Amino acid sequence: MTQDNKRPQDDWDDHQVFYSAADVGNYFVIPGSPAEAWEADNFLALHKDNLRVRVDYGPDDLVIAIMGSQISYRGLWLEQALILQELRPYFVGSAFDSNSTSNLKIIILSGYSASNYSVAVEAIVLNLGYPKGIVKHVALDEGVDSVLSMADLVIYGSFREEQSFPDILIRAMCFGKPIIAPDLLMIKKYVDDRVNGYLFPKENIKFLKQIMLQVVSKGKLSPLARNIASIGKQTAKNLMVLETVEGYALLLEHILKLPSEVAPSQSVKEIPSKLKAEWQWHLFKEMADFTYLNRTSRSYGFLDNVESQWNHTQRESSGAVTAPNETFLYSIWDEEKSVQMNNTRKRREEEELKDRTEQPRGTWEDVYKSAKRADRSKNDLHERDDGELERTGQPLCIYEPYFGEGTWPFLQRRSLYRGLGLSAKGRRPGADDVDAPSRLPLLSNTYYRDVLGDYGAFLAIANRIDRIHKNAWIGFQSWRAMARKENLSKTAENALLDDIQARRHGDALYFWVRMDMDSRNPLKQDFWSFCDAINAGSCKFAFSVAFKKMYGIKHNLSSLPPMPVDGDTWSIMHSWVLPTRSFLEFVMFSRMFVDALDAQFYDEHHQSGQCYLSLSKDKHCYSRVLELLVNVWAYHSARRMVYVNPNTGVMQEHHKLKSRRGQMWVKWFEANTLKSMDEDLAEESDSDHPKKRWLWPSTGEVFWQGLYEKERNLRNREKEKRRQQSKDKISRIRKRTRQKVIGKYVKPPPDEIENTNTTVAVR
């Protein structure tokens, strides 16, 4: 196929045709695509010149294109021969006058350049008695679009039933050409006779003569045929929209396994009828400039023009290159291109078949030795990739928690970001992602993985953080932010890194997804009202109960930290950046809060799935409360809260410290208070070993100051035990009784070798 006609859709079209026609039972094929109409308009916009001049066709010639099926089969040449036989009277002077017969041309568009189909066409034309130069054969891989743009009339010359509407026939209709086709079931389904095309019975091909009398008048297309071609173009523009939409809806509904956080797609019956009637062409407005749609075609067209001008100049200056020689040279060049394409296709097939052939593997001992050798070399010569090296030298690393393959397209691939898989399955191949369940075994429990959601990622990273995170700052970005196009742009990333390195805002919380811009908050509600709105009206109650349990408050005073309305906004969707030390302090607070929430909801939620934070059964029960927890901690621990515009990188401090005076509960959230609470819980877990179900010890490292003394005493006892064992061994060696020597063998002198049996006892 030449470059001016090569399309990215061709490979998919070929697979679709072969799968649907050759094996209906094993493949699920979704027919239809707007690519045919879109690329037809693209081709016409890029090739505004008259292509007939290249093949010596005049503007008054009536060009008829006879197309075959894209699948080669026995009998295809016979069907096209029958059509040529029915068209023969128009070229020997019986149907038209003698002045118009010379203006009729036929192009057979079928077969491939590597086959000998052109030889069969020449034999058919010769036997039917066509004048020389009337019929020309063009292979499917040598210029389908060029032939269709030159043709005035298109005849589909394949009588074999199709599983889907022929793509090549759709393309002809998109070019605005009147079509004549046999009344196959799939064609008859979309083409109405004498409305948007012409149909003839495949059992009675002689009916084609009557259709030609209606289509052609005095060597030109009749007005009726032009009108039918215009209607056919509109039909082809939105052909098979219904089948395509319903096919993809069924695919999403029954085949694809999306993450649990993703809302299920609508069923086929719920899709509006407008979406099934036509393609959404308004989505293509941004690509309306045809100049940039096919750069390959444009560049090759430019090179062809330069080459033709250079040849013309050379011919005028030297006069050595004649027209016949030039034609001969171009035929050699076309043949060379065909050979190269065949070699490329054969090489690709050999590479695909290479892995399927049996290859000698040797004995099992050889396999084991090679595997061990590879492991040793891998451990000894471990080389870090570029992303790991860049993360080592940068001040910030942003983790992107994800679950399932459906979230992969919304994850970054740059060194500033690092994926964090919440499940051992569904990990990105070839990516340096963190395996969260291996760092926090609690996430291997599907119940807690769903309940915690992205919060499980915070706990997994904070657990012995120095083993994996070595940057001064740490951040998180939800894949949903990328899906909603609220992720940090390159400009915003640079602005954030510059601000962090310059420490303009000190120990601050940077966030870039705003609560007042969230689709769940159309009324611009305040913090606690928004939390109630997304948690079935029970957010404040659940938070108050958890806060009382966390701090051990017994009386009935209101224990809800104030989050005042001051005109600023809050962070949502787990997209923020903190200093690593502050992050560990926040996780220390959140571990105790999550444990208090779990004590409220576990029994009822684990048994029945009901949760009063949701109106229905919800396995992500209190994940929406945890989504807003970082704001409560940052506000009342006197951290600055800075909003970063994700597009421009402009920063604005919200809830300034001066306006917070008298409203912050600093004593409840300061580091010393949280650390003492954490040590008390760790001592209780380490010393008492409670038998009740308790979530807190499973959310991270259990550490308190008394562990130093326990470990030191254990080391001292082990050291004393080893010392005593050494003393006992030495004492046993000293007290061991030794037997005296009875005698020893003395070697006789050389002259007494014969008396070798004699021995001398020495006392």
Side-chain angles (χ1 to χ4, degrees):
M1 182 177 290
T2 56
Q3 290 290 342
D4 60 332
N5 292 285
K6 186 172 181 55
R7 303 178 293 126
Q9 186 74 10
D10 286 334
D11 293 339
W12 162 251
D13 291 341
D14 294 342
H15 285 80
Q16 175 180 338
V17 170
F18 281 107
Y19 288 166
S20 61
D23 198 331
V24 185
N26 295 330
Y27 297 93
F28 179 70
V29 179
I30 301 176
S33 170
E36 298 296 339
W38 179 252
E39 293 175 1
D41 294 341
N42 180 24
F43 183 86
L44 294 176
L46 290 173
H47 298 82
K48 296 181 180 180
D49 54 339
N50 191 358
L51 298 178
R52 292 191 175 192
V53 179
R54 301 182 182 180
V55 292
D56 297 331
Y57 286 172
D60 297 331
D61 291 341
L62 179 66
V63 181
I64 301 175
I66 301 177
M67 301 186 304
S69 175
Q70 290 179 267
I71 302 178
S72 299
Y73 58 91
R74 293 183 180 181
L76 178 61
W77 63 271
L78 179 60
E79 295 168 350
Q80 295 180 354
L82 294 175
I83 293 178
L84 287 175
Q85 184 178 4
E86 296 301 322
L87 295 179
R88 181 175 175 275
Y90 299 102
F91 296 90
V92 296
S94 60
F96 298 107
D97 55 25
S98 59
N99 295 329
S100 63
T101 56
S102 60
N103 294 333
L104 295 174
K105 307 292 182 182
I106 295 181
I107 300 178
I108 304 295
L109 186 62
S110 183
Y112 292 91
S113 57
S115 63
N116 57 353
Y117 198 87
S118 58
V119 178
V121 172
E122 293 178 0
I124 294 171
V125 172
L126 183 62
N127 292 331
L128 292 178
Y130 272 86
K132 186 177 182 181
I134 294 295
V135 182
K136 180 181 179 181
H137 171 253
V138 177
L140 289 172
D141 54 353
E142 290 183 349
V144 176
D145 292 337
S146 300
V147 172
L148 293 178
S149 63
M150 291 187 297
D152 296 297
L153 174 64
V154 174
I155 301 176
Y156 190 69
S158 178
F159 303 157
R160 185 176 180 270
E161 289 290 346
E162 302 281 352
Q163 296 293 333
S164 61
F165 196 88
D167 293 336
I168 195 169
L169 200 56
I170 297 177
R171 201 163 187 82
M173 297 173 68
C174 292
F175 273 90
K177 309 300 180 183
I179 63 168
I180 303 176
D183 55 351
L184 304 178
L185 293 178
M186 188 55 64
I187 297 177
K188 190 166 53 175
K189 181 179 178 181
Y190 300 97
V191 177
D192 295 334
D193 190 21
R194 293 178 175 79
V195 176
N196 54 3
Y198 292 92
L199 298 177
F200 63 89
K202 62 179 182 180
E203 295 83 3
N204 187 11
I205 195 173
K206 296 184 180 299
F207 196 77
L208 182 61
K209 296 180 181 179
Q210 300 180 13
I211 297 178
M212 289 296 298
L213 293 175
Q214 300 175 14
V215 174
V216 180
S217 176
K218 296 182 180 179
K220 295 183 179 180
L221 290 179
S222 64
L224 178 61
R226 296 181 185 275
N227 186 31
I228 289 176
S230 178
I231 299 174
K233 183 176 182 180
Q234 297 299 323
T235 302
K237 187 176 181 180
N238 296 294
L239 198 68
M240 291 189 288
V241 180
L242 177 64
E243 291 81 352
T244 305
V245 173
E246 291 184 350
Y248 281 107
L250 290 173
L251 183 70
L252 293 174
E253 184 176 357
H254 298 290
I255 298 179
L256 294 185
K257 295 182 180 179
L258 299 175
S260 56
E261 301 90 347
V262 179
S265 59
Q266 291 182 340
S267 62
V268 177
K269 298 180 181 179
E270 296 176 355
I271 300 176
S273 57
K274 184 179 179 181
L275 298 178
K276 301 179 183 179
E278 60 181 10
W279 302 111
Q280 303 302 302
W281 293 108
H282 63 278
L283 300 177
F284 292 82
K285 289 183 179 180
E286 298 180 358
M287 301 174 61
D289 188 3
F290 292 102
T291 307
Y292 300 97
L293 287 178
N294 197 335
R295 299 184 177 181
T296 304
S297 300
R298 190 176 69 256
S299 61
Y300 272 83
F302 174 76
L303 292 176
D304 290 341
N305 293 333
V306 172
E307 185 180 3
S308 61
Q309 293 178 4
W310 184 83
N311 289 337
H312 181 70
T313 305
Q314 290 292 106
R315 185 167 56 251
E316 288 184 349
S317 60
S318 63
V321 181
T322 60
N325 291 337
E326 187 181 40
T327 304
F328 177 73
L329 291 176
Y330 273 101
S331 64
I332 295 177
W333 173 242
D334 292 339
E335 183 179 354
E336 178 64 21
K337 288 197 295 184
S338 176
V339 171
Q340 291 180 1
M341 290 178 61
N342 293 334
N343 293 336
T344 303
R345 186 182 297 110
K346 184 182 297 183
R347 192 182 308 113
R348 183 173 57 189
E349 292 177 354
E350 292 177 353
E351 291 176 355
E352 292 177 353
L353 294 174
K354 181 179 179 181
D355 296 334
R356 306 179 189 177
T357 58
E358 296 183 358
Q359 299 180 3
R361 299 294 182 182
T363 62
W364 283 110
E365 288 76 13
D366 297 337
V367 175
Y368 292 148
K369 289 180 181 179
S370 61
K372 291 180 180 179
R373 192 182 305 112
D375 291 340
R376 287 195 300 269
S377 62
K378 181 179 179 181
N379 295 332
D380 296 340
L381 303 176
H382 172 66
E383 296 183 1
R384 296 183 293 177
D385 58 1
D386 296 339
E388 185 179 356
L389 292 172
E390 292 178 11
R391 276 194 296 271
T392 303
Q394 64 192 14
L396 170 65
C397 179
I398 300 177
Y399 295 91
E400 295 182 303
Y402 68 91
F403 176 72
E405 299 182 10
T407 59
W408 290 357
F410 306 108
L411 303 179
Q412 304 279 1
R413 284 280 186 177
R414 285 173 289 155
S415 61
L416 181 62
Y417 300 88
R418 192 174 186 184
L420 182 58
L422 296 178
S423 174
K425 299 179 180 180
R427 296 273 303 279
R428 289 189 297 176
D432 185 24
D433 294 346
V434 181
D435 184 15
S438 64
R439 296 191 52 78
L440 189 69
L442 178 67
L443 297 180
S444 299
N445 188 330
T446 56
Y447 172 79
Y448 282 109
R449 185 177 61 208
D450 294 334
V451 165
L452 295 175
D454 290 348
Y455 229 78
F458 307 158
L459 303 178
I461 291 295
N463 189 26
R464 295 174 173 83
I465 190 173
D466 55 331
R467 298 184 180 181
I468 190 171
H469 180 79
K470 304 183 183 300
N471 307 90
W473 287 70
I474 188 173
F476 294 88
Q477 178 171 270
S478 173
W479 64 267
R480 299 176 185 84
M482 184 74 173
R484 291 170 49 174
K485 298 183 179 180
E486 296 185 13
N487 58 299
L488 291 174
S489 64
K490 190 65 176 178
T491 304
E493 292 172 2
N494 295 332
L496 178 61
L497 292 174
D498 293 341
D499 197 89
I500 287 175
Q501 291 176 340
R503 300 190 62 83
R504 296 188 181 95
H505 294 92
D507 187 358
L509 171 74
Y510 295 89
F511 66 97
W512 51 90
V513 183
R514 303 169 56 120
M515 187 184 75
D516 56 350
M517 297 296 182
D518 190 76
S519 58
R520 299 170 293 178
N521 190 18
L523 301 179
K524 311 295 182 184
Q525 296 174 316
D526 62 281
F527 182 85
W528 290 117
S529 299
F530 173 74
C531 189
D532 275 343
I534 63 176
N535 288 282
S538 303
C539 172
K540 289 187 286 187
F541 175 76
F543 197 100
S544 178
V545 174
F547 201 74
K548 288 180 181 180
K549 179 176 177 55
M550 176 180 171
Y551 286 95
I553 301 174
K554 303 297 183 181
H555 49 77
N556 294 325
L557 294 178
S558 175
S559 55
L560 197 65
M563 303 293 285
V565 180
D566 53 5
D568 292 335
T569 187
W570 308 94
S571 171
I572 60 170
M573 211 178 291
H574 301 305
S575 299
W576 42 262
V577 165
L578 272 175
T580 301
R581 292 188 61 182
S582 299
F583 168 71
L584 294 178
E585 184 180 332
F586 166 62
V587 171
M588 188 188 305
F589 165 78
S590 62
R591 284 179 62 191
M592 294 181 281
F593 185 83
V594 167
D595 178 66
L597 275 180
D598 183 73
Q600 287 186 65
F601 297 103
Y602 178 82
D603 293 334
E604 181 181 359
H605 184 245
H606 187 264
Q607 293 176 5
S608 64
Q610 297 291 340
C611 171
Y612 66 78
L613 292 175
S614 178
L615 298 177
S616 59
K617 290 186 178 181
D618 185 8
K619 58 183 178 180
H620 309 287
C621 177
Y622 45 83
S623 61
R624 292 175 295 277
V625 175
L626 297 178
E627 182 181 352
L628 302 174
L629 185 61
V630 68
N631 297 283
V632 180
W633 171 82
Y635 184 89
H636 291 281
S637 62
R639 258 75 177 185
R640 289 186 174 182
M641 305 181 71
V642 181
Y643 169 70
V644 183
N645 190 301
N647 297 321
T648 62
V650 176
M651 300 186 183
Q652 180 183 2
E653 183 178 355
H654 286 220
H655 314 289
K656 295 184 178 180
L657 293 176
K658 294 182 179 180
S659 63
R660 298 192 211 171
R661 292 179 179 177
Q663 300 183 13
M664 294 185 297
W665 293 12
V666 180
K667 293 183 179 180
W668 298 79
F669 290 83
E670 65 179 357
N672 293 332
T673 302
L674 298 176
K675 189 175 181 180
S676 62
M677 295 169 60
D678 185 80
E679 289 183 352
D680 292 341
L681 294 174
E683 184 177 4
E684 180 183 356
S685 174
D686 184 61
S687 303
D688 299 341
H689 301 288
K691 297 180 180 180
K692 64 178 182 179
R693 196 194 63 83
W694 190 14
L695 179 64
W696 184 86
S698 302
T699 56
E701 187 177 6
V702 176
F703 176 80
W704 63 293
Q705 199 67 22
L707 284 179
Y708 282 130
E709 298 179 2
K710 293 180 64 175
E711 292 176 356
R712 184 172 62 251
N713 294 335
L714 180 62
R715 287 196 301 269
N716 291 337
R717 286 196 300 268
E718 292 291 336
K719 187 184 298 183
E720 185 65 26
K721 183 179 179 180
R722 289 194 300 269
R723 187 182 296 113
Q724 186 63 36
Q725 289 176 351
S726 179
K727 289 182 179 179
D728 294 343
K729 182 178 180 181
I730 294 174
S731 177
R732 286 195 306 270
I733 293 174
R734 289 178 177 177
K735 293 180 180 180
R736 189 171 56 190
T737 58
R738 294 179 174 81
Q739 184 178 359
K740 294 182 179 180
V741 179
I742 297 177
K744 63 180 180 180
Y745 170 76
V746 178
K747 185 177 181 180
D751 54 349
E752 298 181 1
I753 295 177
E754 296 179 356
N755 301 324
T756 55
N757 293 329
T758 60
T759 58
V760 178
V762 180
R763 295 184 181 273

